[in-house]
Amino acid sequence: MELTTKELAKYLDHTNLSPESTEEDIIKTCQEAVEFDTASVCVNSYWIPLVTKELTGSTVNPITVVGFPLGATNTATKVFETNSAIDDGAEEVDMVINIGELIAGHDDNVTEDIRKVAEATHAKGKLLKVILETSYLNDDQIVRGCQASEAAGADYVKTSTGFSSAGAKLADVALMRATVGDRLGVKASGGIHSRKEALEMIEAGASRLGVSATVKILSE
């Protein structure tokens, strides 16, 4: 696959979710995103008001994470986080599923958790991505997680938080794409460090990439 740097940039959610990030670090992340015209800047919700301000006048969206990184917060908390972040300026929300409930086979509970967040997100006209944390899951669980996300009304499924034992894998991305077809987006996140790896993820079926190595990837 061949993409220009400008084309590739619009696949990228320029991500800074480090707990050590300062205001200066977040501003720098925003400046990099605006320079390269990425799809978005993805940060923890505390920083959304600052990011929204810094991205004003650009085509880069502020986005945030919910139930992050473990997914085991209750649904009401995830919905509150979602509403608060959107009110502060978030255009997209990346939520973590209840991973243990998926592994246990309690798919109805997983679906309902996602559905409530999807309803809150869509009520405000925004997009929802659902993080499966594929490093903990087998193929059957990945498929079921995708099916639950689609049934609940999500807009994307996403591989990883970047805080687990492994990030995105090509086989997982391909499986997710095969499961959701062209009905949902697929976001590959975690462990993407080069232009080659980014393009391979897109070829496997990713329509968005979560990366912190944005500058390196787009400067290659």
Side-chain angles (χ1 to χ4, degrees):
M1 172 176 284
E2 293 295 332
L3 293 174
T4 66
T5 297
K6 184 176 181 180
E7 289 169 338
L8 179 57
K10 279 304 182 186
Y11 279 88
L12 305 186
D13 291 340
H14 187 27
T15 302
N16 187 341
L17 295 167
S18 170
E20 300 172 285
S21 291
T22 64
E23 179 177 337
E24 181 180 356
D25 296 326
I26 299 298
I27 290 173
K28 181 181 178 184
T29 298
C30 292
Q31 290 171 339
E32 292 166 347
V34 171
E35 177 185 353
F36 286 99
D37 195 26
T38 62
S40 76
V41 168
C42 183
V43 294
N44 290 297
S45 60
Y46 177 84
W47 297 114
I48 284 292
L50 173 63
V51 169
T52 300
K53 177 184 175 183
E54 291 294 317
L55 297 181
T56 298
S58 76
T59 62
V60 182
N61 282 332
I63 69 175
T64 197
V65 289
V66 162
F68 193 84
L70 303 179
T73 47
N74 66 36
T75 301
T77 301
K78 291 178 181 178
V79 170
F80 179 87
E81 282 188 279
T82 297
N83 283 320
S84 177
I86 292 174
D87 289 345
D88 282 341
E91 292 292 332
E92 301 176 13
V93 171
D94 291 17
M95 72 163 284
V96 187
I97 66 164
N98 191 312
I99 302 161
E101 285 286 74
L102 180 66
I103 292 171
H106 300 159
D107 294 13
D108 288 348
N109 292 341
V110 174
T111 302
E112 190 60 20
D113 184 51
I114 300 167
R115 189 189 312 280
K116 293 295 186 183
V117 178
E119 289 172 350
T121 305
H122 295 155
K124 295 178 181 288
K126 310 306 179 184
L127 294 178
L128 176 66
K129 307 190 201 79
V130 176
I131 305 171
L132 303 183
E133 200 67 285
T134 49
S135 61
Y136 293 131
L137 307 177
N138 60 35
D139 285 358
D140 174 67
Q141 291 160 348
I142 291 171
V143 169
R144 287 173 26 234
C146 289
Q147 291 170 337
S149 300
E150 183 172 3
D155 302 291
Y156 281 76
V157 286
K158 175 178 171 182
T159 60
S160 321
T161 62
F163 283 77
S164 184
S165 57
K169 296 181 179 178
L170 291 172
D172 292 341
V173 172
L175 177 60
M176 292 163 71
R177 175 53 72 195
T179 303
V180 303
D182 59 2
R183 300 178 299 279
L184 274 66
V186 174
K187 179 174 174 180
S189 183
I192 303 169
H193 300 120
S194 69
R195 189 184 190 99
K196 179 178 180 291
E197 290 172 345
L199 293 174
E200 287 173 345
M201 289 294 174
I202 295 168
E203 288 179 334
S207 46
R208 194 79 70 85
L209 307 177
V211 297
S212 56
T214 302
V215 174
K216 177 181 180 294
I217 290 170
L218 295 179
S219 297
E220 287 180 6

